[in-house]
Amino acid sequence: MTFRRGTRLDPGQVRDMRGRGGMVAAGGGLGGIIVLVAVLLLGGSPQDAATLTGILDRTTVGNESPNDLSQECQTDVDANSREDCRIIGYVNSVQAYWPTAVEGYTLAPTTFFTDAINTGCGQATSAVGPFYCPNDDSVYIDLGFFDTLETQFGAEGGPFAEAYVIAHEYGHHVQDLLGTLTGQTGDTGAESQSVRIELQADCFAGVWASNAVETGYLNPITPDQVAQALDAAAAVGDDRIQQQTQGGITPDTWTHGSSAERQQWFRTGLDGGDPRDCDTFSADL
Ligand SMILES: [Zn+2]
C-alpha cells in the first residue's frame, strides 16, 4: 500500500468544488496559468475552451461552498482506497517536504473541480488540464484528467502517475516562491524559457518523490511506482503528443519539453533528492 499505516490526512489543504459548478461566462478568458501539458494536446485551444464555456454558462451556477471531505478522508486507509483521499495525501506529503527545502514556503491549496471553475487567473474549464495559478497560489485539477491521461495520452496510469502530476503542479508553486516563474514569457521552442520552467517542475516532482518517505505519509517508493511516474512524464512530452496529434514533430512550438527530457529531469530530481540539481535554466538541454 502506498500510504503508511497510521497516516493522518489534512483534508483542509484541498478545496472540493466538484459538482459545485464555477460560474463561467461565455467568452470568458484565462490568463497566466501554468498547465501540465500544452493546451492543444487536450483537444482544445483557449478559443475552444471559451466556446465550451458558452455551453457551461447555461448549466452551471457559482458561489457555492465546497464539499466537506473531512469525514471521508482521514487516514491512510482512506488514502489507499479512495482516489480523492489519495490526492489529498499526495498534496499533504508534497507540502510536508517543501518547507524543509525552501525557506518561507507557504502552503498552497489544491481545488478539485468538475467541468469549470473560477480562479484568480480567470475562468477555466477541464479542457486545459491540471494547472497552477500564481495569482491565487493554487493548484486546480479535475480528477477526470487522470482518466484522460490514460485514454487520450496513452499513459499506463497508476497512483504514482497521479502523484507525479500533483508534485509537478506544486513544483510551479515552488518556482513562484523562488521567483523563477517570473521569466514566463509564453515563448516556445526546444530551448525556450517555457520548456525550462516545465522541466524544472518535473525535476522538483522527482525531488519530492526522493524525499517522500521522510514526510511520513508514504511507504518506500517501489520501482513500479517510479515507472508509473516516468511513464506519465513521457506521456505528456511535446514530441510524443505532436507525433500522435499532428503526425510529425515541430520542436519550434514546444512548451514543455520532449518525453525523454521530462523523464530525464524527473529522474535527476529523484536520484539526487536536491532541488539545487534542478537548474534547468543554465543546463544544456
Ligand atoms: Zn507545468
Side-chain angles (χ1 to χ4, degrees):
M1 280 298 160
T2 303
F3 286 86
R4 197 161 87 179
R5 196 166 171 183
T7 293
R8 301 295 305 182
L9 300 175
D10 177 9
Q13 293 183 13
V14 167
R15 204 168 61 109
D16 181 16
M17 296 298 286
R18 289 174 295 175
R20 298 308 212 201
M23 179 86 86
V24 176
L30 181 66
I33 64 165
I34 320 292
V35 299
L36 177 77
V37 292
V39 169
L40 282 173
L41 315 179
L42 282 164
S45 67
Q47 287 72 33
D48 290 340
T51 305
L52 184 56
T53 64
I55 299 159
L56 291 165
D57 184 37
R58 293 190 292 273
T59 56
T60 57
V61 291
N63 301 323
E64 291 190 47
S65 54
N67 305 303
D68 185 6
L69 286 173
S70 61
Q71 296 307 308
E72 284 89 346
C73 301
Q74 295 190 339
T75 68
D76 54 298
V77 177
D78 304 323
N80 284 326
S81 58
R82 279 177 58 144
E83 182 182 58
D84 48 3
C85 302
R86 184 163 69 236
I87 303 307
I88 287 172
Y90 291 137
V91 168
N92 292 165
S93 174
V94 167
Q95 298 207 99
Y97 165 64
W98 281 109
T100 70
V102 173
E103 205 178 325
Y105 181 87
T106 53
L107 292 177
T110 284
T111 297
F112 294 162
F113 71 99
T114 42
D115 301 329
I117 185 81
N118 275 326
T119 81
C121 295
Q123 301 150 343
T125 71
S126 303
V128 299
F131 64 92
Y132 174 72
C133 170
N135 295 351
D136 57 13
D137 297 322
S138 299
V139 172
Y140 292 89
I141 185 165
D142 182 330
L143 297 181
F145 174 76
F146 295 130
D147 293 329
T148 306
L149 195 58
E150 295 177 45
T151 56
Q152 199 169 329
F153 293 89
E156 308 239 328
F160 242 68
E162 301 172 348
Y164 157 73
V165 170
I166 296 299
H168 173 100
E169 294 308 328
Y170 275 94
H172 289 313
H173 176 56
V174 172
Q175 291 176 318
D176 195 12
L177 296 172
L178 296 177
T180 51
L181 266 191
T182 53
Q184 196 208 8
T185 54
D187 60 343
T188 67
E191 314 233 334
S192 64
Q193 191 78 356
S194 300
V195 166
R196 293 176 189 277
I197 286 171
E198 293 302 331
L199 294 178
Q200 186 177 61
D202 285 335
C203 186
F204 284 168
V207 168
W208 162 74
S210 181
N211 293 281
V213 174
E214 282 72 39
T215 68
Y217 286 87
L218 298 170
N219 289 320
I221 312 300
T222 66
D224 268 1
Q225 290 172 327
V226 171
Q228 288 169 9
L230 288 170
D231 176 70
V236 289
D238 284 330
D239 55 342
R240 167 127 13 136
I241 295 167
Q242 288 183 340
Q243 188 65 53
Q244 284 170 354
T245 58
Q246 307 171 8
I249 296 165
T250 51
D252 285 354
T253 60
W254 286 4
T255 55
H256 287 68
S258 69
S259 297
E261 287 172 324
R262 300 196 75 162
Q263 288 187 316
Q264 179 211 318
W265 282 104
F266 178 85
R267 177 65 83 179
T268 296
L270 180 69
D271 288 348
D274 186 341
R276 287 170 297 189
D277 295 340
C278 299
D279 184 5
T280 55
F281 296 98
S282 53
D284 224 352
L285 296 181

